[in-house]
């Protein structure tokens, strides 16, 4: 079955315009979910959902709305794990697909990093986002949308 919709954890997502472009190209509804602290622009094929600014409001909204066959774009490993459990396809904003086998490792690494931070050790954080990352993301999303379109035709 083709993607039902692309749901975006939009608060800190640097590839919203690429997602909108791919959604238009494949005829898939895009849903941007963000707190009221972030101004979101509604465009054709794009629905904007704004939630309160409390810590997990965006994640809770998405977790309650996402369904099997949706595509979720998020940097949050916990939210990706919930999406996978509900049968959605999950991508990072750098275009890598979360899988059942990779999510356990990522959650464990996040837990270990949090323990190290509590112990006073600090890591460098993520690399700066580049134009190459943007292209890689669009390629990953397009590849997934094509795959889902092919499955639907079978």
């Amino acid at each position: 079955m083709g993607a039902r919709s692309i749901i975006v954890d939009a608060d800190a997502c640097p590839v919203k315009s690429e997602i909108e472009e791919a959604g238009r190209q494949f005829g898939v509804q895009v849903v941007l979910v963000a707190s009221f602290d972030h101004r979101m622009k509604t465009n054709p094929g794009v629905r904007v959902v704004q939630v309160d600014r409390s810590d997990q409001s965006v994640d809770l909204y998405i977790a309650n709305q996402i369904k099997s066959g949706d595509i979720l774009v998020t940097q949050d490993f916990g939210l990706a794990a919930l999406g996978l459990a509900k049968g959605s396809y999950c991508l990072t904003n750098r275009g890598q697909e979360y899988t059942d086998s990779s999510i356990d490792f990522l959650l464990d690494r996040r837990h270990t990093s949090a323990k190290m931070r509590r112990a006073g050790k600090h890591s460098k954080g993520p690399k700066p986002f580049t134009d190459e990352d943007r292209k890689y993301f669009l390629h990953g999303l397009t590849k997934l949308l094509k795959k889902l379109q092919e499955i639907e035709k079978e």
Side-chain angles (χ1 to χ4, degrees), residues 61-77:
Y61 178 87
I62 291 172
N64 286 317
Q65 298 300 313
I66 198 155
K67 303 214 179 340
S68 179
D70 287 340
I71 295 173
L72 170 62
V73 179
T74 184
Q75 300 177 96
D76 185 310
F77 302 153

Side-chain angles (χ1 to χ4, degrees), residues 113-125:
S113 294
K115 280 181 17 182
M116 289 175 59
R117 283 191 303 277
R118 285 193 301 271
K121 295 181 177 131
H122 297 283
S123 62
K124 294 180 182 178

Side-chain angles (χ1 to χ4, degrees), residues 101-121:
S101 58
S102 69
I103 199 69
D104 289 336
F105 168 76
L106 293 169
L107 289 168
D108 184 59
R109 190 175 74 186
R110 180 179 76 171
H111 175 71
T112 301
S113 294
K115 280 181 17 182
M116 289 175 59
R117 283 191 303 277
R118 285 193 301 271
K121 295 181 177 131

Side-chain angles (χ1 to χ4, degrees), residues 1-59:
M1 161 170 127
R4 296 167 22 92
S5 53
I6 303 170
I7 300 175
V8 184
D9 180 357
D11 277 346
C13 181
V15 288
K16 290 185 279 292
S17 61
E18 288 80 2
I19 295 167
E20 290 182 27
E21 176 186 322
R24 276 191 300 277
Q25 181 182 351
F26 285 87
V28 177
Q29 171 79 44
V30 173
V31 181
L32 301 176
V33 184
S35 72
F36 285 112
D37 291 333
H38 298 84
R39 287 184 71 90
M40 295 285 135
K41 186 177 170 190
T42 301
N43 291 315
V46 177
R47 185 166 64 98
V48 173
V49 176
Q50 303 234 231
V51 297
D52 70 55
R53 61 179 54 114
S54 64
D55 190 25
Q56 299 296 316
S57 293
V58 169
D59 294 353

